[in-house]
Amino acid sequence: MEQKRYGHFDDQHREYVITDPQTPWPWINYLGNEDFFSLISNTAGGYSFYKDAKFRRITRYRYNNVPMDNGGRYFYIKDGETVWNPGWKPCKTPLDFYECRHGMSYTRITGKKNGVEASVLFFVPLKKWCEVQKLTLKNESSETKSLKLFSFEEWCLWNAATDMENFQRNFSTGEVEIEGSTIYHKTEYRERRNHYAFYHVNAPIQGFDTDRETFVGLYNAFADPQAVMEGKPRNSHAHGWSPIASHYIEVTLKPGESKDFVFLLGYIENEQDEKFEAPQVINKKKAHALIAELDTTEKVDKAFAELCALWDNLLNIYKVKTGNDKLDRMVNIWNQYQCMVTFNFSRSASFFESGVGRGMGFRDSNQDLVGFVHQIPPRARQRIIDIASTQFPDGGCYHQYQPLTKRGNNDIGGGFNDDPCWLIFGTVAYIKETGDFSILDEMVPFDNQPGTEVTLFEHLKISMNHVIENLGPHLLPLIGRADWNDCLNLNCFSWDPNESFQTTENVSEGTKAESLMIAGLFVVTGKDYVALCKKLGKNDEAARMQQAVDAMIAAVKKDGWDGEWYLRAYDFYGRKIGSNENDEAKIFIESQGWCTMAEIGAEDGMVAKSLDSCKKYLECEHGMVLNNPAFSKYIYEYGEISSYPEGYKENAGIFCHNNPWVIIGETLAGRGNDAWAHYAKILPSYVEEKYQTLHKVEPYVNCQMVAGKDAFKPGEGKNSWLTGTAAWMWYTVSEFILGIKPDYDGIRIDPCLPETANDYTVNRKFRDAEYEITIHPNGAQKGVKSITLDGKPVEGTVIPYSAGKHVVEVTM
Ligand code: BGC
Ligand code: NOJ
């Protein structure tokens, strides 16, 4: 059945255009690239924060609200008796026209009603701590219009967690100041905070409100605030309760006339001794300066042009032309964009991640790096140092850290035994992209303790050692609290529903729980580490680790193979998991992915059999599920994985994140047709075409999980945006399918394609060089026959790096 469509891609403008506000779920975008961030839905819902969605939440948001996505930055337009919003919500007055264009770090929402067009451009200017909302009102009718315009933002009392729960205190702390057209939010500034926020408009106002109850009314809602409905601001001054910011402006527009208003939501920090300009009065100097930088349409347009130029540059680093629009738009635009977003937020703030739960994940952020490192390498470099600084001297590490403090999170702690390996994965990607080996000499502390610094290289070494010092009875890696699969909790044994599987006891005494996923990860990253050591002339260290890698390969072949696929794990008691001998979950995807990427036993046919088993048992219409058959009951020895109903999340959901692992395995095995078939199934642009209603979530980015074949509604997506899928999809398509792979000494060319692939060209900026690489597949799935660089033949598959512009021709 043909599914309803809510929008379409506009590749020329790099936008997704939503034409119906009633999407099956809020379809959001992210604003801001470094310090100040916002989430914005297609109806202008969402919120803003500075650096950390938990500790510095600027505007309030209620997750899981009814109706969904309630609260945001709202403009109310009262035109006679009609009140409407350009983004349809919250009034839901039917519009004559609606459009939301989500672009690269900006969103433009346009609504029309009764001859008036209201268009709002939302973005965060580069290097500035504010969100710009440029509202353009246009009279398209033949009569003069007298409109009453109300803006609206609701302040969060900074800590998003306590804001949602500590009402006995919160309702007495709220404080604001009003000065001209600017409303300042200064709750807790009188004590320890050195920051405040403001909401400004670059026009005289005829009234305002700062107290929510006065503005909305105790028994009204955002859909019908009393002040707006009556067309009368109350000029309220908030003391405690819930402070808000609303400007009231009377606008007269002649036929054909249009007016711009620049609204600014800003964040300011002051030095301790410069906090006040008079007793109780905040020092507004920096706010005035920021406002002055953006107080005209021209200044705002210039700031917007700078933002667009940034994205022009970023998206010029890797560009492909295959003639397949669906592929090109994901590679050239949306996949790279999502990689920037996951790099910025890790798993902290989305419409599925509340921003108060998880900060930056150790393994998550390392994986995100491979999707981002080509974009802004210096930021990737800093990230690697930040992550490594949360490691412990024994190579273990904090599983998460807070972006504001960069300190490890004690609630979750450590003990996830895959974590250390990811540091090698991220660092190697950085060095291959940049050629910057100096990062390895950076002095990096343990657990952020000054005085404990050792080189980053030393951190990599102890990461590798952590695996070999924690082997189990089959000489496979002990799993610890969990490996990549946070829900495979083999040492936790919980019957208490008040315990979180993620933090409950991790019994290490006597455990035999081993992971084949970590085994494969160790072999892949171990080979990388060995190559790096050789490159550095550390031949003894290379030899030492090569032995450990060889031993791991031997252990997998001996005790990690089930006949047709790789086992998943051994449990606490040393019993097989992911084996034909099990009643349920006989096969898991993670170990197939990692052991095929590691090519373990390829010579004995293990890789091919494992990949075939993925097709046979895991694949379905929407992708490959995580395990098969799904668990139908809770298993005390396995933990959270078996807590999910069949087909969801880690219990046989399609975890998009690990589909690319198998796809890479396919490409290494030279099976281009299979690799492509798997890839296209979870490529958003293909899903967009067929399944907008079923899929529900944003069709322009990957989501973490799509309900699997055992679910009630297979194909339904959840957890959009913040997922390692972004980086893995990028890594897979850019390096393994299209085959352009950064290496220490140049770019390795090794595509793996479906046999129907046509000639294509990749423009790749790499360090100080620019390559135009044209590939002639000639029907081959794999295997480069010849390469020429600027007309001269190249030996092997690596184009040696040299600065400047180059033309490369590749024949397969
Ligand atoms: C989810 C995992 C997630 C973990 C940690 C679990 O409930 O299923 O996907 O990684 O929580 O937050
Ligand atoms: C989401 C987490 O962010 C990630 O770290 C984990 O690997 C996957 N879920 C699988 O459990």
Side-chain angles (χ1 to χ4, degrees):
M1 197 180 79
E2 181 72 2
Q3 297 228 343
K4 179 166 161 52
R5 295 176 67 96
Y6 301 86
H8 56 266
F9 287 100
D10 175 346
D11 295 339
Q12 202 200 328
H13 296 100
R14 300 191 300 231
E15 292 172 334
Y16 193 82
V17 188
I18 302 165
T19 48
D20 179 343
Q22 300 188 60
T23 47
W25 180 259
W27 286 0
I28 74 163
N29 194 12
Y30 286 84
L31 313 178
N33 285 308
E34 235 156 314
D35 294 328
F36 189 106
F37 296 108
S38 300
L39 280 67
I40 181 164
S41 73
N42 58 310
T43 56
Y47 61 92
S48 304
F49 61 93
Y50 170 77
K51 281 193 182 167
D52 193 308
K54 176 174 180 183
F55 290 126
R56 288 288 185 284
R57 188 76 67 102
I58 295 170
T59 51
R60 184 175 279 169
Y61 191 73
R62 296 165 191 79
Y63 281 92
N64 205 8
N65 210 341
V66 182
M68 184 57 209
D69 188 28
N70 211 13
R73 56 297 265 168
Y74 292 136
F75 292 103
Y76 297 91
I77 297 164
K78 185 161 172 20
D79 178 5
E81 286 314 300
T82 309
V83 178
W84 59 283
N85 314 100
W88 183 62
K89 275 176 74 171
C91 293
K92 298 200 283 182
T93 305
L95 298 176
D96 301 333
F97 173 85
Y98 160 89
E99 184 183 85
C100 167
R101 289 178 170 262
H102 284 319
M104 303 291 103
S105 306
Y106 69 87
T107 286
R108 194 191 297 272
I109 297 180
T110 304
K112 291 190 195 189
K113 185 75 189 171
N114 297 344
V116 175
E117 180 187 271
S119 191
V120 199
L121 172 67
F122 301 89
F123 71 101
V124 172
L126 299 180
K127 310 275 173 213
K128 295 201 192 343
W129 294 351
C130 62
E131 178 184 305
V132 169
Q133 304 159 358
K134 182 182 136 192
L135 166 69
T136 306
L137 288 175
K138 187 167 177 210
N139 182 358
E140 294 185 335
S141 78
S142 50
E143 299 147 36
T144 296
K145 287 273 186 184
S146 296
L147 309 173
K148 294 179 170 183
L149 171 69
F150 295 81
S151 67
F152 176 82
E153 296 266 11
E154 183 178 14
W155 302 114
C156 181
L157 306 187
W158 302 115
N159 181 324
T162 55
D163 183 67
M164 284 190 290
E165 61 185 23
N166 195 6
F167 306 114
Q168 59 81 25
R169 169 176 163 85
N170 297 349
F171 287 168
S172 294
T173 54
E175 290 192 294
V176 299
E177 277 181 39
I178 302 128
E179 181 199 60
S181 297
T182 315
I183 295 163
Y184 292 88
H185 176 228
K186 59 170 188 176
T187 299
E188 290 185 347
Y189 191 77
R190 61 167 59 233
E191 28 123 347
R192 294 157 298 171
R193 292 194 183 277
N194 65 345
H195 43 268
Y196 61 81
F198 66 84
Y199 193 37
H200 167 83
V201 57
N202 70 341
I205 57 175
Q206 285 77 50
F208 60 86
D209 271 294
T210 67
D211 176 61
R212 192 183 76 206
E213 195 179 308
T214 313
F215 177 74
V216 175
L218 186 53
Y219 296 99
N220 290 40
F222 293 151
D224 57 354
Q226 256 169 24
V228 176
M229 292 298 136
E230 291 167 20
K232 274 195 224 111
R234 306 321 204 229
N235 298 337
S236 58
H237 196 126
H239 297 279
W241 299 108
S242 289
I244 59 156
S246 171
H247 305 95
Y248 169 70
I249 307 176
E250 292 170 356
V251 189
T252 306
L253 291 175
K254 293 198 222 53
E257 194 186 3
S258 86
K259 277 187 187 161
D260 288 337
F261 299 89
V262 179
F263 290 83
L264 272 195
L265 176 71
Y267 171 87
I268 300 292
E269 282 182 0
N270 277 333
E271 292 301 320
Q272 198 59 30
D273 52 354
E274 291 181 355
K275 278 175 67 172
F276 299 97
E277 61 186 43
Q280 308 266 354
V281 181
I282 57 178
N283 179 350
K284 305 185 183 64
K285 220 189 274 160
K286 287 190 187 168
H288 292 161
L290 178 52
I291 289 168
E293 288 172 33
L294 291 157
D295 59 356
T296 65
T297 302
E298 292 67 38
K299 291 181 194 172
V300 165
D301 291 348
K302 187 163 165 276
F304 184 58
E306 285 164 10
L307 174 69
C308 296
L310 170 88
W311 276 107
D312 284 342
N313 289 332
L314 290 177
L315 297 178
N316 268 334
I317 298 169
Y318 190 123
K319 257 194 163 155
V320 71
K321 218 191 287 162
T322 65
N324 173 348
D325 289 348
K326 291 209 244 335
L327 177 62
D328 291 1
R329 72 167 62 105
M330 292 319 296
V331 174
N332 295 337
I333 306 172
W334 292 98
N335 193 176
Q336 296 200 57
Y337 182 56
Q338 189 179 4
C339 285
M340 163 74 93
V341 170
T342 56
F343 175 83
N344 283 337
F345 297 95
S346 195
R347 308 295 170 264
S348 66
S350 73
F351 272 27
F352 295 87
E353 298 279 10
S354 65
V356 303
R358 303 205 281 160
M360 313 295 281
F362 193 99
R363 76 159 82 91
D364 297 322
S365 290
N366 272 306
Q367 290 172 77
D368 294 344
L369 278 170
V370 302
F372 176 76
V373 65
H374 68 290
Q375 299 190 26
I376 309 180
R379 287 187 66 199
R381 191 183 206 273
Q382 185 57 48
R383 178 63 55 78
I384 292 169
I385 306 291
D386 291 348
I387 296 172
S389 305
T390 64
Q391 195 168 27
F392 301 117
D394 74 347
C397 41
Y398 278 107
H399 194 48
Q400 287 158 19
Y401 69 93
Q402 275 313 120
L404 191 72
T405 60
K406 297 189 177 175
R407 294 295 153 121
N409 178 339
N410 277 314
D411 297 340
I412 177 102
F416 295 79
N417 282 351
D418 63 315
D419 272 339
C421 290
W422 295 109
L423 188 61
I424 289 128
F425 185 69
T427 307
V428 164
Y430 170 79
I431 300 176
K432 287 188 171 169
E433 179 66 37
T434 57
D436 170 19
F437 287 89
S438 76
I439 190 174
L440 295 171
D441 303 324
E442 288 292 332
M443 297 302 283
V444 181
F446 293 113
D447 191 8
N448 280 293
Q449 296 306 312
T452 61
E453 292 80 0
V454 298
T455 63
L456 180 66
F457 180 80
E458 202 59 29
H459 279 263
L460 301 190
K461 183 172 169 186
I462 61 163
S463 296
M464 289 268 89
N465 288 346
H466 189 266
V467 177
I468 42 189
E469 284 160 11
N470 288 283
L471 298 178
H474 301 98
L475 302 179
L476 294 166
L478 288 171
I479 198 167
R481 184 168 273 293
D483 60 21
W484 171 88
N485 190 332
D486 280 332
C487 298
L488 194 59
N489 314 124
L490 303 181
N491 300 313
C492 95
F493 309 106
S494 180
W495 273 122
D496 179 356
N498 301 319
E499 285 172 351
S500 155
F501 287 105
Q502 299 300 317
T503 53
T504 191
E505 197 188 350
N506 173 19
V507 186
S508 51
E509 195 56 34
T511 183
K512 296 180 178 168
E514 298 171 301
S515 160
L516 268 301
M517 182 267 154
I518 304 182
L521 174 66
F522 177 80
V523 173
V524 171
T525 51
K527 287 181 188 169
D528 282 343
Y529 178 85
V530 168
L532 178 64
C533 289
K534 287 189 181 157
K535 189 81 200 139
L536 298 169
K538 296 180 192 283
N539 293 327
D540 291 350
E541 178 63 1
R544 181 181 78 97
M545 202 50 65
Q546 184 63 52
Q547 263 186 5
V549 168
D550 292 343
M552 189 67 75
I553 292 173
V556 173
K557 285 170 124 180
K558 178 162 176 286
D559 291 312
W561 181 248
D562 198 53
E564 272 185 86
W565 56 78
Y566 303 95
L567 286 177
R568 175 62 177 87
Y570 285 94
D571 74 7
F572 185 90
Y573 305 101
R575 297 174 303 207
K576 290 177 186 171
I577 299 180
S579 160
N580 208 11
E581 293 168 18
N582 297 110
D583 294 338
E584 296 182 331
K586 290 167 178 284
I587 171 171
F588 284 74
I589 197 169
E590 302 99 317
S591 43
Q592 314 317 316
W594 280 100
C595 294
T596 60
M597 278 197 271
E599 302 183 276
I600 298 175
E603 62 288 357
D604 306 327
M606 286 159 70
V607 165
K609 272 193 198 153
S610 157
L611 294 170
D612 287 341
S613 295
C614 292
K615 286 208 296 185
K616 196 159 159 197
Y617 302 108
L618 302 178
E619 196 183 16
C620 69
E621 186 186 352
H622 303 282
M624 283 174 279
V625 299
L626 193 146
N627 53 291
N628 187 68
F631 291 106
S632 63
K633 50 187 178 303
Y634 177 58
I635 302 178
Y636 171 64
E637 291 87 354
Y638 291 6
E640 186 168 356
I641 189 166
S642 58
S643 73
Y644 286 111
E646 293 89 324
Y648 295 101
K649 291 284 287 184
E650 278 87 346
N651 184 16
I654 297 159
F655 238 86
C656 299
H657 188 142
N658 45 35
N659 277 234
W661 300 345
V662 175
I663 301 172
I664 294 176
E666 291 279 8
T667 64
L668 295 175
R671 300 164 32 142
N673 291 337
D674 291 325
W676 176 260
H678 286 308
Y679 176 72
K681 278 197 176 163
I682 60 165
L683 193 64
S685 50
Y686 279 83
V687 178
E688 193 263 356
E689 192 184 34
K690 274 167 93 179
Y691 301 113
Q692 291 199 4
T693 312
L694 170 66
H695 192 65
K696 271 184 104 158
V697 289
E698 296 88 337
Y700 34 92
V701 290
N702 272 110
C703 55
Q704 180 207 52
M705 196 256 331
V706 174
K709 55 186 176 176
D710 310 288
F712 172 68
K713 209 191 255 183
E716 198 174 53
K718 282 180 193 143
N719 285 25
S720 51
W721 279 102
L722 300 187
T723 159
T725 314
W728 277 102
M729 287 295 272
W730 173 253
Y731 189 52
T732 301
V733 71
S734 65
E735 299 197 12
F736 294 91
I737 295 180
L738 299 171
I740 313 294
K741 202 167 172 33
D743 212 328
Y744 295 121
D745 300 318
I747 293 188
R748 183 180 299 279
I749 315 264
D750 190 14
C752 184
L753 305 161
E755 56 200 4
T756 51
N758 296 322
D759 291 5
Y760 62 95
T761 301
V762 174
N763 288 85
R764 178 63 154 96
K765 290 191 184 161
F766 180 63
R767 305 180 198 168
D768 291 322
E770 270 186 64
Y771 296 94
E772 182 172 293
I773 306 166
T774 302
I775 316 263
H776 307 279
N778 299 318
Q781 295 185 52
K782 176 102 167 175
V784 167
K785 264 201 201 138
S786 66
I787 301 182
T788 62
L789 169 64
D790 299 323
K792 297 190 200 76
V794 172
E795 278 286 312
T797 52
V798 179
I799 333 169
Y801 167 71
S802 69
K805 288 197 175 189
H806 304 284
V807 177
V808 179
E809 294 280 333
V810 180
T811 309
M812 294 177 62

